[in-house]
Amino acid sequence: MQLRLRPRASSAGAHGLSREARRLEAHRDGFTVSTDPARLDLDLIHGYLTRSYWAGGIPRDVVERSLRNSLCFGVYEGGAQVGFARAVTDLATFAYLADVFVLEAYRGRGLSKWLLETMLAHPDLQDVRRWHLVTRDAQGLYAQFAFVEPPAGRHMERVRPNPYRTAPA
């Protein structure tokens, strides 16, 4: 896997602290994983998420806002996006892994595993002490990267059942 890093963008926030992660590109077997937000295909990402079990019916503007406020990783074959994942993170101590998918026609090629390897290897995420995710059906994939269920009584959450689906009239 070939990794190429680009310097941080110069959008320093208060106190001169950078709020953006370095851009990363990795190449393997004709595919690219990139964190360049300009490459993201909003139509493809929204189209997939709006049909997913976890974000069904999600409005396009909510997807767009979520992308702007996350460290996004796209998987590409040439110029076409074929996979996606994002980390909601402070780039220091915590990251939430969200919206991971590889298009069905590209599954079985190890792309989701490579995507996770690339995310976890990102140099700006090396100090993260806690990664969190929620999945209904991919425990086997995440277990390969040392994700485990939290001990009983140590995890709390506040959940709104899918607010994007409208109730039938």
Side-chain angles (χ1 to χ4, degrees):
M1 171 172 63
Q2 176 189 7
L3 290 178
R4 202 170 50 197
L5 291 175
R6 295 184 189 151
R8 295 179 203 270
S10 60
S11 62
H15 309 291
L17 299 175
S18 173
R19 297 189 305 150
E20 288 188 34
R22 287 176 277 191
R23 294 214 182 130
L24 175 142
E25 272 193 9
H27 304 276
R28 188 178 84 181
D29 300 330
F31 291 93
T32 301
V33 172
S34 174
T35 61
D36 183 351
R39 293 191 69 178
L40 295 172
D41 183 337
L42 180 58
D43 290 333
L44 177 114
I45 296 166
H46 175 253
Y48 189 92
L49 294 178
T50 199
R51 293 185 301 276
S52 71
Y53 72 81
W54 66 89
I58 189 169
R60 182 184 172 92
D61 66 304
V62 173
V63 172
E64 188 172 6
R65 192 168 65 239
S66 75
L67 301 183
R68 277 196 314 266
N69 292 293
S70 300
L71 176 54
C72 298
F73 292 75
V75 181
Y76 304 90
E77 182 181 46
Q81 187 166 358
V82 301
F84 176 77
R86 65 189 180 98
V88 182
T89 181
D90 59 10
L91 300 174
T93 64
F94 180 82
Y96 177 78
L97 181 58
D99 298 333
V100 180
F101 70 84
V102 171
L103 296 178
E104 192 168 338
Y106 291 87
R107 293 181 188 162
R109 301 181 192 195
L111 293 175
S112 60
K113 187 174 178 179
W114 179 47
L115 175 58
L116 287 171
E117 288 170 357
T118 304
M119 290 182 79
L120 294 170
H122 191 291
D124 293 333
L125 299 175
Q126 295 310 296
D127 291 333
V128 170
R129 73 173 180 265
R130 184 172 309 252
W131 283 81
H132 183 77
L133 65 87
V134 176
T135 186
R136 181 171 77 182
D137 57 1
Q139 289 83 351
L141 171 65
Y142 300 117
Q144 295 175 54
F145 296 94
F147 283 88
V148 297
E149 296 212 17
R154 295 219 17 219
H155 175 86
M156 294 178 69
E157 63 183 351
R158 181 174 179 248
V159 178
R160 285 177 54 205
N162 192 333
Y164 315 121
R165 294 202 192 269
T166 55

